[in-house]
Amino acid sequence: MTDTLAQLTAKDFTSHQEPKWCPGCGDFAVLQQLKNAMADLGLKTEEVVVVSGIGCSSRLPYYIATYGVHGIHGRAMAMASGIKTARPELSVWVGTGDGDALSIGGNHYIHTVRRNLDLNVILFNNEIYGLTKGQYSPTSKVGLRTVTSPNGVVDHPINTVALTLGAGGTFVARVMDRDGKFMRDIFKRAAEHKGTSVVEIYQNCPIFNDGAFDAFSSKERKADTTIYLEQGKPLVFGLDNRKGIRLDGFTPVMVNLDDASVSQDDLWVHDEKDFIKANILSRFFDDPDTMQNALPRPFGIFYVEDRITYEDALTAQIDSAQERGEGTFEELLTGSSTWTIS
Amino acid sequence: MSETTILNKKDMVTAKSSVSVLFAGDSGDGMQLTGTQFANTVAVYGSDLNTFPNFPSEIRPPAGTISGVSGFQLQFGTAGVYTPGAKFDVMIAMNAAALKANLKNLHHGGIIIADTDGFDARNLTLSGYGEANNPLEDGTLKDYTVFSIPVISLTRKALADTGLSTKFIDRCKNMFVLGVLYWLYSLPIETTIETLQTKFRNKQDIADANIKAVQAGYNFGDETEMFSQHGRFSVAPADKKPGVYRRVTGNEASAIGLAAAAKKAGLELFLGSYPITPASEILQTLAGMKKFGVKTFQAEDEIAGVLTSIGAAYAGALAATNTSGPGLALKSEGLGLAVILEIPLVIINVMRGGPSTGLPTKPEQSDLLMAMYGRHGDAPMPVIAAKSPVDCFYAAYEAAKIAVEYMTPVLCLTDGYLALSSEPMLVPSPDALASITPVFSPARKADDPAYLPYKRDERGVRQWAIPGTPGLEHRIGGLEKHHETGNVSHDPENHALMTKMRAEKVARVAEIVPDLTIDNGPEKGDLLVLGWGSTYGAIKKAVEQALDGGCSVAHAHLRYINPFPKNLREIMGNYKKVLIPENNCGQLLSLIRDKFLCEPVGFSKVQGLPFNEMEIEAKITDILKEL
Ligand code: SF4
């Protein structure tokens, strides 16, 4: 509950329910940073609604001391859309997973993204179905052996960032569960963005898909396999940032800054407003475990666009229809064409 | 039906109590608009009225063929107009295909007004009669009264001096026909003239041409010798309650009912919906009601239609979703969520022929059991049904009242027949509508005891706790929840208790369900015809006629199917037999048998067509014979 004067802390956003996630689950870190971000944003607990579908991560609403609804599988985006359309002044957050958002809820996902309601979507991607005990998900890597793919997954996985850009997303970001501070900042940017903000989180499931993101998170490999996007900064990575990305036409090329013929000025400078470049970045999706010279996986904000939100456009239509006052109850009942019998 | 003969045959006027008319022509002929004009005229004249459009199922079917025939049927009269009429007394056939497609539904001896210009070689071939077999000339129609009028030719002649193109003049042919009909039924032409003037406010030449065509048709009736054998007819206005009237289809009425309920409750209306035949007009009508603050959300699918509505309801709006059978199937998981969340939600299901895509444009009443039971788990919700186009307004309104006051989803059933039929509606005053009182949980302070979102009042109803209210922050969902705190609970006793409490709450709606009354007929007798939904008009008429014939029969019609009115058993007990006519294979019959362990007689019709009164009357006679 909110005391209107004092800025709330993460503790104020902590509900009385103990999280029921497995020890070591990446979800804990996300929950903590989410609460931190909400506090940093100066939100009040009563104005926040956290909506989720079904899955491990969709337990999220129970652990945050705001309003929360835990809906049905795949439908969090639709439910959140209804809440936001009815009450645009609320701060609406969606907690969803790779199965929830991209498989059973895939249709709602793409349509919500294109409508651009002002929602903050936290998409926990652990590349597995955890709650149902370890079946592969639409983001699982080809070849992954699970209970439903004993010989290895044959489906091609979804690239969340590319899908979201394709659907017309206006804020698209990716983070890792281990990057606490970085994640917290991106949550804040997502909340400040007016429109549907999607933050994909690479979230480790130690029980059913442990190490799925080790290639990007392990100390030894991280430098070469990841690239952190910063607005207005060149794309650099590798040990001591001695590697970079140069754009050759539309083709990204990895270069070595130790190479005398390459200068910092040749590098691709990140511009989160550049739709074409964001699309190219979204295709940095190589698997470093199976590919030589894989492009580094980008983390951070890929793309931001200012576009009118669904609810603002609808409100504008209602305002214009009511320019000469809201229709009265009598008018509603009478309609435009009547006759009188006396 | 008295007859008044005046010496001059030309001026002979026969009074009729009701007349059923079909306007039929090619789908490009504007039959819907013409029929609507006629309907407006008789409405303003003060008749009772019921209309029904009959569109081709294809959007652009081939012109001149049977599949391209579009019809608009209406019945108007002094009293007893409950349906568009089982058969027509008069048929306007703008071409040969229109005649061929509809002749079987014309009363023996009925009147045919045919545009001979639509019976040329081409039209005869396309219609399937064959070039050499003109039914207007070869004796096919000897049992009917046929008026063959060269409508296009006469319209061209009448509008020759307007300077308009032939193509345009030909489009005025319907107005000519209307003029003839107005003359034939002694109706005023002023309503149509006024409508045309308003409609073509900025195109005076078009308004003038159309008006001229109506007048020409009317004058033609006056001058031609064609009608001198038969004279004209008149249908006295109905003895209608004084007041302001509007004409509504069932779908429009449903939409207005929802919007009115929102106004009355002081809530914002939200409709989440996905287009589906024959329910889309509800979404369309509400999308055009932004002036009244209505929010519509055309969702990506049926599931999102219900889920956005659940979201809006959670957030404090009066939320509704509308659909037809296939969509209701898709929404069923969402409805279970609405049941367990215990939030208000109205679902209007406009039934059509099923299963699967079935007969999308044809009515049926076959979703009743799905409405009752079509959800996983024990998930009861109130089910109510509308009986007429105007009643769709009141059914939607009552559904909203129950939803809000009992914090429950409510299923409101209409069907494709009601959806598209229209009739005059006496515009109610806002004050005359029943109150709708939402109960929101008030804000709380830090030192208040913990908030209990599932604490119930004496009726078993929880309060509406909407986001934005300080101190009510709580988390709920589709998982079973503790009976007071709303926290997730897997406790066996708690689940049993919650299942029971959800069911009892719905059962308790019976406390506000009005007693079932006898619509017509004796309070005790041989046979009760028990109906629900759109069969109302046909049963009403059939029972009226059977009573006239001296039968001991009565009619009662159910609005509330879950829960049933408290006195239903008692009412049924007052008759030796109960007959339940339904456009399905006996779904209400099953419910009644199950609930009351009695043996009513079922009467099914599943042809994608509504019952007509003759069928029901014949069934009544058969049963009474066996008693
Ligand atoms: S199964 Fe995996 S994702 Fe689910 S709670 Fe356990 S560790 Fe986390």
Side-chain angles (χ1 to χ4, degrees), chain A residues 20-27 56-57 126 128-131 203-209:
Chain A
K20 288 198 174 162
W21 293 311
C22 312
C25 176
D27 291 354
C56 293
S57 56
N126 55 9
I128 200 79
Y129 285 136
L131 194 63
Q203 171 244 317
N204 192 41
C205 168
I207 306 297
F208 295 111
N209 201 14

PDB file of all heavy atoms in Angstrom, chain A residues 20-27 56-57 126 128-131 203-209, ligand 1:
ATOM      1  N   LYS A  20       7.690 -19.583  -5.471  1.00  0.00           N
ATOM      2  CA  LYS A  20       7.754 -21.048  -5.494  1.00  0.00           C
ATOM      3  C   LYS A  20       8.650 -21.566  -6.598  1.00  0.00           C
ATOM      4  O   LYS A  20       8.482 -22.682  -7.060  1.00  0.00           O
ATOM      5  CB  LYS A  20       6.341 -21.611  -5.666  1.00  0.00           C
ATOM      6  CG  LYS A  20       5.509 -21.452  -4.414  1.00  0.00           C
ATOM      7  CD  LYS A  20       4.309 -22.365  -4.434  1.00  0.00           C
ATOM      8  CE  LYS A  20       3.591 -22.287  -3.091  1.00  0.00           C
ATOM      9  NZ  LYS A  20       2.233 -22.799  -3.183  1.00  0.00           N
ATOM     10  N   TRP A  21       9.577 -20.717  -7.060  1.00  0.00           N
ATOM     11  CA  TRP A  21      10.464 -21.180  -8.102  1.00  0.00           C
ATOM     12  C   TRP A  21      11.547 -22.086  -7.502  1.00  0.00           C
ATOM     13  O   TRP A  21      11.849 -22.019  -6.302  1.00  0.00           O
ATOM     14  CB  TRP A  21      11.139 -19.984  -8.790  1.00  0.00           C
ATOM     15  CG  TRP A  21      10.165 -19.131  -9.578  1.00  0.00           C
ATOM     16  CD1 TRP A  21       9.247 -19.576 -10.469  1.00  0.00           C
ATOM     17  CD2 TRP A  21      10.046 -17.701  -9.534  1.00  0.00           C
ATOM     18  NE1 TRP A  21       8.545 -18.494 -10.996  1.00  0.00           N
ATOM     19  CE2 TRP A  21       9.022 -17.340 -10.442  1.00  0.00           C
ATOM     20  CE3 TRP A  21      10.697 -16.685  -8.823  1.00  0.00           C
ATOM     21  CZ2 TRP A  21       8.644 -16.017 -10.660  1.00  0.00           C
ATOM     22  CZ3 TRP A  21      10.329 -15.369  -9.056  1.00  0.00           C
ATOM     23  CH2 TRP A  21       9.304 -15.036  -9.962  1.00  0.00           C
ATOM     24  N   CYS A  22      12.169 -22.896  -8.352  1.00  0.00           N
ATOM     25  CA  CYS A  22      13.225 -23.793  -7.870  1.00  0.00           C
ATOM     26  C   CYS A  22      14.433 -22.968  -7.431  1.00  0.00           C
ATOM     27  O   CYS A  22      14.697 -21.912  -8.002  1.00  0.00           O
ATOM     28  CB  CYS A  22      13.700 -24.735  -8.973  1.00  0.00           C
ATOM     29  SG  CYS A  22      12.376 -25.547  -9.850  1.00  0.00           S
ATOM     30  N   PRO A  23      15.186 -23.483  -6.471  1.00  0.00           N
ATOM     31  CA  PRO A  23      16.413 -22.775  -6.070  1.00  0.00           C
ATOM     32  C   PRO A  23      17.315 -22.594  -7.282  1.00  0.00           C
ATOM     33  O   PRO A  23      17.447 -23.507  -8.098  1.00  0.00           O
ATOM     34  CB  PRO A  23      17.046 -23.722  -5.050  1.00  0.00           C
ATOM     35  CG  PRO A  23      15.934 -24.617  -4.593  1.00  0.00           C
ATOM     36  CD  PRO A  23      14.956 -24.705  -5.708  1.00  0.00           C
ATOM     37  N   GLY A  24      17.871 -21.403  -7.421  1.00  0.00           N
ATOM     38  CA  GLY A  24      18.801 -21.169  -8.522  1.00  0.00           C
ATOM     39  C   GLY A  24      18.132 -20.737  -9.809  1.00  0.00           C
ATOM     40  O   GLY A  24      18.796 -20.445 -10.806  1.00  0.00           O
ATOM     41  N   CYS A  25      16.815 -20.665  -9.810  1.00  0.00           N
ATOM     42  CA  CYS A  25      16.093 -20.272 -11.031  1.00  0.00           C
ATOM     43  C   CYS A  25      16.392 -18.817 -11.367  1.00  0.00           C
ATOM     44  O   CYS A  25      16.445 -17.957 -10.482  1.00  0.00           O
ATOM     45  CB  CYS A  25      14.602 -20.451 -10.815  1.00  0.00           C
ATOM     46  SG  CYS A  25      13.637 -19.884 -12.215  1.00  0.00           S
ATOM     47  N   GLY A  26      16.537 -18.535 -12.626  1.00  0.00           N
ATOM     48  CA  GLY A  26      16.815 -17.172 -13.079  1.00  0.00           C
ATOM     49  C   GLY A  26      15.682 -16.199 -12.787  1.00  0.00           C
ATOM     50  O   GLY A  26      15.876 -14.980 -12.784  1.00  0.00           O
ATOM     51  N   ASP A  27      14.501 -16.728 -12.519  1.00  0.00           N
ATOM     52  CA  ASP A  27      13.347 -15.855 -12.288  1.00  0.00           C
ATOM     53  C   ASP A  27      13.519 -14.960 -11.069  1.00  0.00           C
ATOM     54  O   ASP A  27      13.017 -13.838 -11.040  1.00  0.00           O
ATOM     55  CB  ASP A  27      12.070 -16.700 -12.108  1.00  0.00           C
ATOM     56  CG  ASP A  27      11.642 -17.380 -13.393  1.00  0.00           C
ATOM     57  OD1 ASP A  27      12.263 -17.111 -14.438  1.00  0.00           O
ATOM     58  OD2 ASP A  27      10.681 -18.177 -13.364  1.00  0.00           O
ATOM     59  N   CYS A  56       6.184 -21.161 -15.478  1.00  0.00           N
ATOM     60  CA  CYS A  56       6.918 -20.794 -14.254  1.00  0.00           C
ATOM     61  C   CYS A  56       6.942 -19.294 -14.079  1.00  0.00           C
ATOM     62  O   CYS A  56       6.606 -18.764 -13.023  1.00  0.00           O
ATOM     63  CB  CYS A  56       8.359 -21.311 -14.339  1.00  0.00           C
ATOM     64  SG  CYS A  56       8.473 -23.093 -14.309  1.00  0.00           S
ATOM     65  N   SER A  57       7.332 -18.591 -15.122  1.00  0.00           N
ATOM     66  CA  SER A  57       7.505 -17.141 -15.002  1.00  0.00           C
ATOM     67  C   SER A  57       6.167 -16.441 -14.782  1.00  0.00           C
ATOM     68  O   SER A  57       6.115 -15.345 -14.229  1.00  0.00           O
ATOM     69  CB  SER A  57       8.172 -16.588 -16.248  1.00  0.00           C
ATOM     70  OG  SER A  57       7.434 -16.942 -17.397  1.00  0.00           O
ATOM     71  N   ASN A 126      13.441 -19.196 -21.396  1.00  0.00           N
ATOM     72  CA  ASN A 126      14.382 -20.198 -20.879  1.00  0.00           C
ATOM     73  C   ASN A 126      14.533 -21.359 -21.856  1.00  0.00           C
ATOM     74  O   ASN A 126      15.118 -22.383 -21.556  1.00  0.00           O
ATOM     75  CB  ASN A 126      13.961 -20.697 -19.484  1.00  0.00           C
ATOM     76  CG  ASN A 126      12.533 -21.231 -19.476  1.00  0.00           C
ATOM     77  OD1 ASN A 126      11.920 -21.387 -20.541  1.00  0.00           O
ATOM     78  ND2 ASN A 126      12.016 -21.517 -18.302  1.00  0.00           N
ATOM     79  N   ILE A 128      12.608 -23.592 -22.787  1.00  0.00           N
ATOM     80  CA  ILE A 128      12.104 -24.897 -22.322  1.00  0.00           C
ATOM     81  C   ILE A 128      10.739 -24.701 -21.665  1.00  0.00           C
ATOM     82  O   ILE A 128      10.401 -23.593 -21.261  1.00  0.00           O
ATOM     83  CB  ILE A 128      13.096 -25.523 -21.290  1.00  0.00           C
ATOM     84  CG1 ILE A 128      12.899 -27.034 -21.135  1.00  0.00           C
ATOM     85  CG2 ILE A 128      12.966 -24.857 -19.925  1.00  0.00           C
ATOM     86  CD1 ILE A 128      13.528 -27.836 -22.237  1.00  0.00           C
ATOM     87  N   TYR A 129       9.949 -25.760 -21.592  1.00  0.00           N
ATOM     88  CA  TYR A 129       8.740 -25.728 -20.771  1.00  0.00           C
ATOM     89  C   TYR A 129       9.116 -26.257 -19.397  1.00  0.00           C
ATOM     90  O   TYR A 129       9.394 -27.447 -19.238  1.00  0.00           O
ATOM     91  CB  TYR A 129       7.645 -26.610 -21.380  1.00  0.00           C
ATOM     92  CG  TYR A 129       6.977 -25.994 -22.608  1.00  0.00           C
ATOM     93  CD1 TYR A 129       6.721 -26.746 -23.743  1.00  0.00           C
ATOM     94  CD2 TYR A 129       6.591 -24.659 -22.598  1.00  0.00           C
ATOM     95  CE1 TYR A 129       6.100 -26.181 -24.849  1.00  0.00           C
ATOM     96  CE2 TYR A 129       5.971 -24.091 -23.704  1.00  0.00           C
ATOM     97  CZ  TYR A 129       5.726 -24.851 -24.820  1.00  0.00           C
ATOM     98  OH  TYR A 129       5.122 -24.289 -25.900  1.00  0.00           O
ATOM     99  N   GLY A 130       9.133 -25.364 -18.419  1.00  0.00           N
ATOM    100  CA  GLY A 130       9.543 -25.758 -17.075  1.00  0.00           C
ATOM    101  C   GLY A 130       8.391 -26.344 -16.269  1.00  0.00           C
ATOM    102  O   GLY A 130       8.482 -27.436 -15.722  1.00  0.00           O
ATOM    103  N   LEU A 131       7.280 -25.613 -16.242  1.00  0.00           N
ATOM    104  CA  LEU A 131       6.178 -25.987 -15.363  1.00  0.00           C
ATOM    105  C   LEU A 131       5.604 -27.363 -15.707  1.00  0.00           C
ATOM    106  O   LEU A 131       5.141 -28.094 -14.831  1.00  0.00           O
ATOM    107  CB  LEU A 131       5.065 -24.927 -15.461  1.00  0.00           C
ATOM    108  CG  LEU A 131       3.996 -24.962 -14.380  1.00  0.00           C
ATOM    109  CD1 LEU A 131       4.583 -24.695 -13.005  1.00  0.00           C
ATOM    110  CD2 LEU A 131       2.918 -23.928 -14.677  1.00  0.00           C
ATOM    111  N   GLN A 203      16.800 -16.483 -19.605  1.00  0.00           N
ATOM    112  CA  GLN A 203      16.640 -16.873 -18.213  1.00  0.00           C
ATOM    113  C   GLN A 203      16.995 -18.342 -18.058  1.00  0.00           C
ATOM    114  O   GLN A 203      16.425 -19.200 -18.714  1.00  0.00           O
ATOM    115  CB  GLN A 203      15.187 -16.618 -17.786  1.00  0.00           C
ATOM    116  CG  GLN A 203      14.824 -17.165 -16.425  1.00  0.00           C
ATOM    117  CD  GLN A 203      13.763 -18.235 -16.508  1.00  0.00           C
ATOM    118  OE1 GLN A 203      12.789 -18.099 -17.255  1.00  0.00           O
ATOM    119  NE2 GLN A 203      13.947 -19.313 -15.748  1.00  0.00           N
ATOM    120  N   ASN A 204      17.936 -18.590 -17.205  1.00  0.00           N
ATOM    121  CA  ASN A 204      18.382 -19.966 -17.036  1.00  0.00           C
ATOM    122  C   ASN A 204      17.400 -20.781 -16.216  1.00  0.00           C
ATOM    123  O   ASN A 204      16.917 -20.336 -15.170  1.00  0.00           O
ATOM    124  CB  ASN A 204      19.761 -19.990 -16.355  1.00  0.00           C
ATOM    125  CG  ASN A 204      20.378 -21.367 -16.425  1.00  0.00           C
ATOM    126  OD1 ASN A 204      20.285 -22.027 -17.478  1.00  0.00           O
ATOM    127  ND2 ASN A 204      20.985 -21.811 -15.340  1.00  0.00           N
ATOM    128  N   CYS A 205      17.086 -21.972 -16.714  1.00  0.00           N
ATOM    129  CA  CYS A 205      16.274 -22.929 -15.958  1.00  0.00           C
ATOM    130  C   CYS A 205      17.210 -24.048 -15.524  1.00  0.00           C
ATOM    131  O   CYS A 205      17.533 -24.934 -16.311  1.00  0.00           O
ATOM    132  CB  CYS A 205      15.159 -23.494 -16.819  1.00  0.00           C
ATOM    133  SG  CYS A 205      14.345 -24.926 -16.067  1.00  0.00           S
ATOM    134  N   PRO A 206      17.721 -23.976 -14.270  1.00  0.00           N
ATOM    135  CA  PRO A 206      18.720 -24.956 -13.842  1.00  0.00           C
ATOM    136  C   PRO A 206      18.165 -26.374 -13.792  1.00  0.00           C
ATOM    137  O   PRO A 206      18.934 -27.328 -13.772  1.00  0.00           O
ATOM    138  CB  PRO A 206      19.117 -24.465 -12.452  1.00  0.00           C
ATOM    139  CG  PRO A 206      18.053 -23.541 -12.007  1.00  0.00           C
ATOM    140  CD  PRO A 206      17.417 -22.973 -13.232  1.00  0.00           C
ATOM    141  N   ILE A 207      16.875 -26.513 -13.781  1.00  0.00           N
ATOM    142  CA  ILE A 207      16.309 -27.853 -13.642  1.00  0.00           C
ATOM    143  C   ILE A 207      16.182 -28.570 -14.987  1.00  0.00           C
ATOM    144  O   ILE A 207      16.571 -29.716 -15.141  1.00  0.00           O
ATOM    145  CB  ILE A 207      14.926 -27.785 -12.952  1.00  0.00           C
ATOM    146  CG1 ILE A 207      15.009 -27.035 -11.627  1.00  0.00           C
ATOM    147  CG2 ILE A 207      14.337 -29.187 -12.757  1.00  0.00           C
ATOM    148  CD1 ILE A 207      15.894 -27.680 -10.574  1.00  0.00           C
ATOM    149  N   PHE A 208      15.659 -27.902 -15.963  1.00  0.00           N
ATOM    150  CA  PHE A 208      15.362 -28.602 -17.216  1.00  0.00           C
ATOM    151  C   PHE A 208      16.208 -28.176 -18.417  1.00  0.00           C
ATOM    152  O   PHE A 208      16.169 -28.818 -19.458  1.00  0.00           O
ATOM    153  CB  PHE A 208      13.875 -28.447 -17.571  1.00  0.00           C
ATOM    154  CG  PHE A 208      12.965 -29.107 -16.587  1.00  0.00           C
ATOM    155  CD1 PHE A 208      12.149 -28.354 -15.759  1.00  0.00           C
ATOM    156  CD2 PHE A 208      12.956 -30.497 -16.463  1.00  0.00           C
ATOM    157  CE1 PHE A 208      11.326 -28.970 -14.837  1.00  0.00           C
ATOM    158  CE2 PHE A 208      12.130 -31.113 -15.535  1.00  0.00           C
ATOM    159  CZ  PHE A 208      11.314 -30.356 -14.712  1.00  0.00           C
ATOM    160  N   ASN A 209      16.901 -27.043 -18.291  1.00  0.00           N
ATOM    161  CA  ASN A 209      17.676 -26.595 -19.451  1.00  0.00           C
ATOM    162  C   ASN A 209      18.897 -25.824 -18.977  1.00  0.00           C
ATOM    163  O   ASN A 209      19.193 -24.735 -19.478  1.00  0.00           O
ATOM    164  CB  ASN A 209      16.772 -25.711 -20.339  1.00  0.00           C
ATOM    165  CG  ASN A 209      17.281 -25.616 -21.761  1.00  0.00           C
ATOM    166  OD1 ASN A 209      18.160 -26.398 -22.166  1.00  0.00           O
ATOM    167  ND2 ASN A 209      16.763 -24.678 -22.524  1.00  0.00           N
TER     168      ASN A 209
HETATM  169  S1  SF4 C   1      11.466 -25.371 -13.640  1.00  0.00           S
HETATM  170 FE1  SF4 C   1      13.085 -24.061 -14.350  1.00  0.00          FE
HETATM  171  S2  SF4 C   1      12.099 -22.152 -14.913  1.00  0.00           S
HETATM  172 FE2  SF4 C   1      10.678 -23.287 -13.660  1.00  0.00          FE
HETATM  173  S3  SF4 C   1      10.984 -22.526 -11.616  1.00  0.00           S
HETATM  174 FE3  SF4 C   1      12.247 -24.357 -11.843  1.00  0.00          FE
HETATM  175  S4  SF4 C   1      14.188 -23.554 -12.504  1.00  0.00           S
HETATM  176 FE4  SF4 C   1      12.754 -21.929 -12.793  1.00  0.00          FE
END
